[in-house]
Amino acid sequence: MSEELHDVRLTVNGTTHDVRVPARRLLSDALRHDLGLTGTHVGCEHGVCGACTILVDGAPMRSCLMFAVSAAGHEITTVEGLTNPDGSLGPVQQAFAECHGLQCGFCTPGFLTTITAGLRDNPCPTHEEARDMIAGNLCRCTGYQNIVKAVERAAEIAASGEETAS
Amino acid sequence: MTTKLMGQKVQRVEDQRFLRGHGRYVDDVAVDPGQHTVLHAAVLRSPHAHARILDIDVSDVLDVEGVHAVYTYDDLASCSPQMAEPLPLLIPHPALTHGRTQYALAKDEVNYVGEAIAFVVADDRYLAEDAVSRIRVDYEFLTPVVGIDAARAATSLVHEDVPGNVGARMEQNVGDAPAAIAKAPHRLELDLTVERSACMPMEGRGTVARWDADINRLQLWTSTQSSTGVRAAVAVKMGLDLGQVDVITPDVGGGFGVKINHPWPEELLVPMAARALGRTVKFTEDRREHFISSAHERGQVQHIEVGFDDDGRLLGLDVEFWHDHGAYTPYGLIVPIITSTQLLGPYKPQNYRVVFESLYTNTVIVTPYRGAGRPQGCYAMERTMDAIAQYLGKDRAEVRAVNFIQPDEFPFDQGMIFQDGRELEYDSGDYPAMLEKIKDLVGWDEFPAFQQEMAEQGRQVGIGLACYVEGTGVGPYEGAHVHIETSGKVKVATGLTTQGQGHATVFAQLVADELGVKFEDVEVVTGDTRRMAYAVGTFASRAAVMSGSAIHLAAKRAKEKVLKIAAEALEADEKDLEIVDGVVSVKGSPGTSIDLGTVSVLSNPLRYAFDEKSKAATQFSIGDPGKPPVAEDDEPGLEGKDFYSPERATFASGMHAVIVETDPDTAEITILKYAVVHDCGHLINPMIVEGQIHGGVAQGIGGALYERMAYDESGQLLNASFMDFLMPYVTEVPDGIDIDHLETPSPLNPLGIKGAGEAGVIPSAAVFAAAIEDAERLSSTGLAITAMPISPSELFTLRQAAVEEVAQQPSRNPRTREDPA
Ligand code: FES
Ligand code: FES
């Protein structure tokens, strides 16, 4: 009674990976255990905590609610893909470090991906919008105060980065 | 001179890893893409709260492809005889006359939904879960005992041999409270309840084990708050020498107390299977498992009688409470003992009697959750203060103030025995100054005008205040090892674990300050028994106090050695030397210097010229050629090791105030302002302390307004998911928490620090009950809110009850005894 396996090509952080997985393999498990990208965390496996959030074609998705086989043909970004090309911290990551936006760090990858997508849609959020942007992710350590600050700080860093770039 | 790092908001070094996705939590260990060398475990858990196990049939499992082993109770003895014994009762106490613990896998009986019955090891977790679903168990159902009322009624028993479901009964007396109350000019009685909640770290429990047959040694990674505790437990249970077991606690995704209990069944079953199968085995619990098979806390029912004078001064306080400890008592009586002692807060009731019963129920075990019994104690005391103020028509802050221990009364002995078995003696504090600060911060004196103004607009707002004292930094000890390598880098190890407190940062701050090295050159390792074999653990807000002090002392020792060697090498007097940025030099003549790396080379008489540093060291000569290269009282290497063991706990304190608004129609509760004044002595890193407070406040809000364990009468936990157990998102926490610090240093440790980790959560139930009540004005003669948490629906019900009460019997409160006429 062995399980049927499927060949899937996953494109993660710009790199392609070929894996053979059963149809029921969650994308979160495939990323973590089949590709070794353990930055994506699993806090509930029922879509509520947001720790497993990744970007699928740029849009935040809960990787615990998606099968690996259905990720074929999409561009996936995980927390490991948020650093700048030179390896330095990306704007959202940098803002988290500056604002003490994390404690145990377990929820953090999901916040980083969510905010990255959020700021792409809305590069200068108001304070209320900054709070809204993270309203679907759970963190048990920080009480969210510094995460909200980090959203606002990330917007600043990104804006100043664009100025320097242009 | 480099600036001192103690007290600075230093950015955390660990964040660099975490932010890149390079954290290493236990499920990130032994990841082997494409290799399939690691086996994964799943557990069959009891679906029934109380049943006898008649038969377990695993025959359908064994031939499932990919399944490597299945274990039930009967298989445990083949690992070692101890494995088949009940799990240890970690902290026995003479009052715990009927302590009971479970087996690693249930033997004959299950006592809560979630209790482990069988353990399956397979190629992956999916297959292991498939296999678990094929195990057939025959049960004979027994009547479940759910909730404190059912436990007290004792019409059914959880354990046949525990009469009345009472695991422990404990009483402590200071003076004669009943007599003092009888004589007091005023008396009140209160009946209060608090429901269960739980720590709910975002990372659940997890364990990985690898048995190395070549060296007969076990390596275990586990998400714990006590690596050394797990190590000792695993060694005993598996019949191994301590020296054969290494426990490594990698990054931990939150603990909040639940990971201090050990060993969990899986912490024994995983290494057992790893040794038996000769393969690396991993267990990672899922969220539902965390709800039903780790631990909860908080559930208590309290009865309070108090006598006081016209000023509200306590003359006698008599507290009786019933504590729900779940199905077993692996962690002893720590939680109720803390409730019974820390209830006193910053006050001196003069006469105090407290008696509790710790009761069995057929529900998940109860072990400490951040605050560990203090939130319930604070709730009891602060509700009492509010009741007294209301009865006397006095300002709630004033009533508290007349009861404060005064700054000149420290050390203040409360006359009781604390959780660590030592006297409950407060070391320092300044409660009157703190009260002034919190009143300013929240706008206490201006509030009545604001409330009036809001009322005119048809809005209901209320204010609450709650004070607490928290014994932190309990012993017995913690140690540290500081090693200066020949590269000049400083490697620091302390044995307790880290769950987000930023230990790698704060401890490096201390070492950099003491040794005079660059912060970046210090690397801290925690929770690895290979690096520090003796350690206690991270709980009771003790890490900064205990390991911080030990690290400070160890760095001092290393520094002594540095100065001794450097003085000899530089032909100078030790007193004339200073260390700045890792270079020892003679004060006033910076040219005469030697860097720490070179000192480290010199500290080891075996001097192969491995590298430039070693070659450079040849210019210095130390040691007397007529004596042995290592003197009798010396050791090779540049290291410092020390332990810190305080006489007793140090007592932090704090006061919280909250302003809430309640919706007149929907009873929705909104937080308008949350203020915290906190005294944890000297701060090592204020940014990290404030982060701890933020997190505690958010958890407190969850506990006061949202979180509860919804058990039905059959013992099923109905809300065992994040969908139904309502933890605060950002939308439930206030936008901004106002924090002010007071720093009364502890005289008990070299840095003058006190613990900070749990503080934020302690006063929540008390402060919200007070504020909501103030907004609602439901009763003019007694406390309206006596059960927490409180939801909008419950508040709505209270409103209706109040309307009915007024209609029937205006101005009489059944809970208030009339004064003796
Ligand atoms: S793990 Fe996917 S949302 Fe929680
Ligand atoms: S930092 Fe620990 S859960 Fe968010």
Side-chain angles (χ1 to χ4, degrees), chain B residues 490-564:
Chain B
V490 184
K491 307 292 170 181
V492 180
T494 187
L496 52 64
T497 60
T498 304
Q499 309 96 45
Q501 300 91 337
H503 291 155
T505 303
V506 292
F507 294 156
Q509 287 177 251
L510 298 176
V511 172
D513 276 352
E514 184 54 36
L515 265 184
V517 296
K518 289 199 189 113
F519 174 73
E520 307 79 71
D521 285 342
V522 185
E523 186 189 281
V524 178
V525 166
T526 59
D528 185 338
T529 63
R530 298 170 305 176
R531 295 284 300 276
M532 196 74 207
Y534 287 93
V536 181
T538 302
F539 56 94
S541 302
R542 69 191 292 284
V545 176
M546 300 300 299
S547 275
S549 298
I551 283 171
H552 172 79
L553 296 173
K556 243 186 177 38
R557 285 197 185 270
K559 184 178 181 178
E560 282 163 17
K561 190 158 184 185
V562 167
L563 293 179
K564 186 167 146 251

Side-chain angles (χ1 to χ4, degrees), chain B residues 167-182:
Chain B
R169 184 180 186 283
M170 186 171 164
E171 177 167 343
Q172 289 204 68
N173 279 284
V174 182
D176 186 344
I181 295 168

Side-chain angles (χ1 to χ4, degrees), chain A residues 29 32 93 103-104 127 144, chain B residues 12 19 25 28 126 728 735:
Chain A
D29 285 338
R32 293 179 45 76
Q93 294 168 314
Q103 291 182 25
C104 79
H127 182 66
Y144 307 101
Chain B
R12 304 198 327 164
L19 290 167
Y25 303 85
D28 305 340
Y126 296 69
D735 187 5

